[in-house]
């Protein structure tokens, strides 16, 4: 028999900070405002529920107020409030005697019956939503960067200017990335040409979403044979891949009753960036491939545990698993370096997808153009941007970053501020369409 998941306690310290206590473990939850704090608290407890494969019970505490909360593995939640007290029912009134048995006498005045106050059917009680909404918007944001942040730190907060334009832009994009999703979402990264920046884009998107949303994000290499996503991720204590997961899925009766912890044997956790990686086959001697049916089975399983899946794809747009990924996508991301051949491959891809009936997904797609060197061809960049702005919903340009050149595992701490800012823009642009 599985041991019951320990109850969690969430201490709300302010409109933007809370502490999550589970047994002896304590984790800090931080968000830009009270609404985002609510979503992140619910997401943290949802991860506990997904790990245990059963609803997680929590108590929210603020001062002397306590609110019980139940979060289910699929992210739905409710307040487990006690039943409202009900007044006892009045004593039954005896039935009158038959008319024929009553003596025939003068009518006796009937005393007036006092009017009874109506019994309240339900007592309105505040909910966890009322608790978090009562704090308002969290007050005026504090500047942390620029001269405004320097003044606030120098004066110990006595003088606290509002954030500057650059910081306000960053806070706005972070809030868009953190917006609540009503269901799991799948983002598919595409370009049929090798060297188009697909794998790097997949990892940078996953890192941005994972860091700002607090986990439940997966980067998945959906190559039918071998891809490089697993090689470019941070090292893990195992080398299992999607093929291993698929084989065990057959043997383990669809993982019924399993918890998120069971996936730790197959995914590679990127601890600092707070996302997981599912690699494609890395066995050079293997002959198995992932087809459309295999993709659909894996996708159905992974949706149970991850709120966001960013899918890296291979170069064969005729492969059945490639087509299955596009069909399953909630959002397409078209990537290309600022080169004629790579961009032409992306444009050819879009034409082909329209002919296959994916025109609406193309209209809503986001294009990312990355600089191939520190001195990209600005004229070509402008021409490519103009083309893809007409065939997709948005174009975002990302700068060249020397830390990404060597092709090894990505060190997210080594990324330049310009690269981080650009991929925050990409993530916010994608999140707007989820």
């Amino acid at each position: 028999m599985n041991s019951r998941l320990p109850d969690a306690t969430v201490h709300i310290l302010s409109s933007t900070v809370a502490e999550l206590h589970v047994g002896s473990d304590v984790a800090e939850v931080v968000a830009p405002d009270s609404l985002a704090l609510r979503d992140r608290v619910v997401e943290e407890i949802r991860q506990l529920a997904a790990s245990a494969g059963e609803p997680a019970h929590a108590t929210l505490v603020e001062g002397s107020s306590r609110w019980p909360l139940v979060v289910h593995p699929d992210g739905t939640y409710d307040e487990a409030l006690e039943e409202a007290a009900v007044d006892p029912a009045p004593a039954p009134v005896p039935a009158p005697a038959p008319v024929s048995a009553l003596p025939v006498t003068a009518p006796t005045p009937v005393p007036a019956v006092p009017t009874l106050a109506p019994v309240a059917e339900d007592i309105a009680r505040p909910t966890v939503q009322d608790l978090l909404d009562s704090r308002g918007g969290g007050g005026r944001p504090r500047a942390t960067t620029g001269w405004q942040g320097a003044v606030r730190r120098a004066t110990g907060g006595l003088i606290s200017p509002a954030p500057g334009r650059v910081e306000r832009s960053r806070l706005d994009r972070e809030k868009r990335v953190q917006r609540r999703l009503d269901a799991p979402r799948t983002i598919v990264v595409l370009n049929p040409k090798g060297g188009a920046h697909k794998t790097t884009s997949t990892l940078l998107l996953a890192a941005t979403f994972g860091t700002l949303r607090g986990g439940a994000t997966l980067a998945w290499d959906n190559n039918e044979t071998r891809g490089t996503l697993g090689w470019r991720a941070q090292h893990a204590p195992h080398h299992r891949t999607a093929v291993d997961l698929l084989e065990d899925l057959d043997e383990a009766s669809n993982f019924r009753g399993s918890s998120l912890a069971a996936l730790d044997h197959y995914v590679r956790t990127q601890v600092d960036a707070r996302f997981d990686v599912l690699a494609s086959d890395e066995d050079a001697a293997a002959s198995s491939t992932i087809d459309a049916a295999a993709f659909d089975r894996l996708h159905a399983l992974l949706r149970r545990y991850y709120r966001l899946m960013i899918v890296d794809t291979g170069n064969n747009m005729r492969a059945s698993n490639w087509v299955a990924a596009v069909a399953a996508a909630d959002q397409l991301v078209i990537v290309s370096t600022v080169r004629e051949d790579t961009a032409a491959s992306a444009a050819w891809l879009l034409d082909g997808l329209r002919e296959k009936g994916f025109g609406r997904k193309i209209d809503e797609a986001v294009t990312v153009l990355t600089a191939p060197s520190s001195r990209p061809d600005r004229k070509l960049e402008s021409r490519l941007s103009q083309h893809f702005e007409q065939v997709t919903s948005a174009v975002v340009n990302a700068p060249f970053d020397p830390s990404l050149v060597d092709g090894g595992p990505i060190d997210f701490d080594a990324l330049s501020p310009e690269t981080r800012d650009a991929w925050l823009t990409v993530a916010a642009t994608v999140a707007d369409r989820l």
Side-chain angles (χ1 to χ4, degrees), residues 55 127 147 250 354 428:
T127 67
W147 67 264
D250 291 329
R354 287 189 186 279

Side-chain angles (χ1 to χ4, degrees), residues 315-341:
N315 302 331
N316 182 7
M317 61 185 292
R318 295 184 176 90
S320 64
N321 68 312
W322 192 99
V323 177
V326 174
D330 297 294
Q331 179 65 44
L332 299 180
V333 176
I334 313 302
V335 298
S336 174
T337 53
V338 180
R339 290 171 50 102
E340 285 278 8
D341 55 349

Side-chain angles (χ1 to χ4, degrees), residues 9-57:
T9 302
V10 180
H11 293 273
I12 299 176
L13 306 181
S14 71
S15 62
T16 60
V17 180
E19 282 186 348
L20 173 62
H21 295 250
V22 183
S24 60
D25 296 330
V26 180
E28 185 179 59
V29 183
V30 180
D33 55 48
S34 61
L35 294 179
L37 182 66
R38 175 203 64 192
D39 292 344
R40 297 197 74 170
V41 165
V42 170
E43 175 58 25
E44 292 289 338
I45 301 173
R46 187 204 70 80
Q47 292 185 47
L48 295 176
S51 297
E54 62 181 27
H57 295 255

